[in-house]
Amino acid sequence: MPKRELSRFVRAASSKATKVAQNGSDAWTLASGLMFGSALVAGGVAFASDDKLNPASYPWDHTGAFDAFDAAAIRRGHQVYKNVCASCHSLDKIAFRNLIGVAYTEDEVKAMAAEVDVKDGPNDEGEYFERPGKPSDYMPSPYPNEENARFANGGAYPPDLSLMVKARPDGANYMFSLLTGYRDPPEGVVIREGLHYNPYFPGGAIAMARQLNDGQVEYDDGTPASTSQMAKDVTVFLNWAAEPEQDERKLMGLKFMFAFAAAAVITTFYKRFRWSTYKTQQMSFKNPLKNPLSTAAKGTPHH
């Protein structure tokens, strides 16, 4: 990387980090700016390939063995998806009912589903019809088919986001870095018309423009909707969508480990109790043939 380009990006990262610190934004954006600058300083070590920047590693709250998803973050992330992402990206493996007890109440989910018109049928006359959505319905796709989606997006196909976090290496970190990583192209890099520069996307040119801006969504809980906050929340939501059973699986594993530990303790004490009589018993044997000469002498009569 040329020294002029390197210096430019380091200054940009430092300027962004200083601005974030002065504005009192959360540490996620600060870490993003600092990591971007340090990765560039590292040069070839920071790049997995010549056309992609490795994402930073962020402290997610749900990745530990004893950690669970943040329900408030999932709700906020769903708001971001609904108001920003759903206009282009589908989430066809998640039904409305999956949100019950996770981020919304049953009544809220019923009201949310009823806002969507779902094509159903055929009826008794063999015709299809539209009806209000139900909690058992899956979230609707913004386009009827792939061809229509490509036509509406200049040939680019917005992928389904149901498993996107699992489909990308270092999925959550990559998703957050991608959403917050839009920058001006460096000197000497030409981006074709209709594409946008993002160093975290393979090749650096992505068809999706920057989608998140400060204050774009009004959260129900009053959380300030900064760019980094929205990116973090929608990443948590998509991580949950990729594996909504994660918390139950972890809880099941903890129950199994507890039961296994209890069984091991009980088995150990039972074994010690059952074999204690044998281990503490002393047994001795007298061998009459141990000294055959003395035995013979004792058995021989004297005259």
Side-chain angles (χ1 to χ4, degrees):
M1 178 177 291
K3 291 184 178 180
R4 182 184 302 176
E5 179 183 336
L6 176 61
S7 300
R8 175 186 175 187
F9 273 100
V10 171
R11 287 196 302 270
S14 301
S15 175
K16 182 174 181 179
T18 303
K19 182 178 179 182
V20 168
Q22 291 174 349
N23 292 339
S25 300
D26 55 82
W28 287 76
T29 305
L30 178 60
S32 178
L34 292 175
M35 180 59 69
F36 181 70
S38 62
L40 286 170
V41 172
V45 177
F47 287 88
S49 62
D50 293 337
D51 61 353
K52 178 178 176 293
L53 188 65
N54 280 342
S57 180
Y58 295 100
W60 301 100
D61 296 332
H62 57 270
T63 54
F66 301 98
D67 297 330
F69 282 114
D70 181 3
I74 293 177
R75 181 175 181 126
R76 292 194 301 266
H78 175 258
Q79 289 182 253
V80 176
Y81 168 78
K82 182 179 179 182
N83 290 281
V84 181
C85 311
S87 59
C88 295
H89 295 275
S90 61
L91 200 69
D92 57 14
K93 289 180 174 55
I94 296 296
F96 290 102
R97 64 186 175 191
N98 295 132
L99 295 168
I100 299 177
V102 176
Y104 296 92
T105 63
E106 184 175 356
D107 292 337
E108 287 177 324
V109 170
K110 287 182 178 179
M112 186 191 309
E115 297 175 356
V116 179
D117 292 328
V118 178
K119 186 177 180 180
D120 202 351
N123 55 18
D124 295 339
E125 299 177 357
E127 297 180 351
Y128 289 90
F129 59 93
E130 290 188 348
R131 58 165 177 80
K134 299 182 294 185
S136 59
D137 293 321
Y138 286 83
M139 293 189 179
S141 174
Y143 305 105
N145 50 61
E146 180 178 342
E147 289 73 18
N148 183 263
R150 291 187 181 278
F151 178 79
N153 291 276
Y157 179 59
D160 179 78
L161 298 181
S162 300
L163 301 175
M164 186 56 64
V165 173
K166 290 298 181 184
R168 297 292 183 266
D170 203 8
N173 292 325
Y174 167 78
M175 189 72 65
F176 177 82
S177 299
L178 183 72
L179 292 173
T180 58
Y182 287 91
R183 293 171 174 81
D184 294 331
E187 183 178 353
V189 176
V190 179
I191 302 299
R192 183 166 56 86
E193 183 179 358
L195 300 180
H196 309 273
Y197 180 71
N198 192 315
Y200 297 100
F201 188 77
I206 183 173
M208 181 180 72
R210 175 174 177 168
Q211 298 296 316
L212 301 179
N213 298 283
D214 293 343
Q216 188 171 353
V217 175
E218 185 176 352
Y219 285 135
D220 293 339
D221 59 2
T223 301
S226 63
T227 299
S228 59
Q229 182 67 53
M230 290 186 290
K232 174 178 177 289
D233 291 335
V234 76
T235 299
V236 172
F237 170 71
L238 293 178
N239 204 152
W240 169 83
E243 47 181 350
E245 77 290 345
Q246 173 182 288
D247 290 349
E248 295 181 4
R249 188 175 67 247
K250 287 183 179 181
L251 184 59
M252 183 73 69
L254 290 176
K255 290 180 178 179
F256 172 80
M257 294 302 295
F258 177 79
F260 181 80
V265 172
I266 294 174
T267 303
T268 300
F269 276 94
Y270 175 76
K271 180 257 183 186
R272 291 176 63 88
F273 173 77
R274 182 68 178 83
W275 287 86
S276 61
T277 56
Y278 298 101
K279 288 191 174 183
T280 58
Q281 186 177 15
Q282 183 177 2
M283 303 179 69
S284 60
F285 299 91
K286 293 183 178 180
N287 189 355
L289 300 179
K290 185 175 181 180
N291 193 348
L293 295 179
S294 61
T295 305
K298 290 180 180 180
T300 303
H302 295 277
H303 299 280

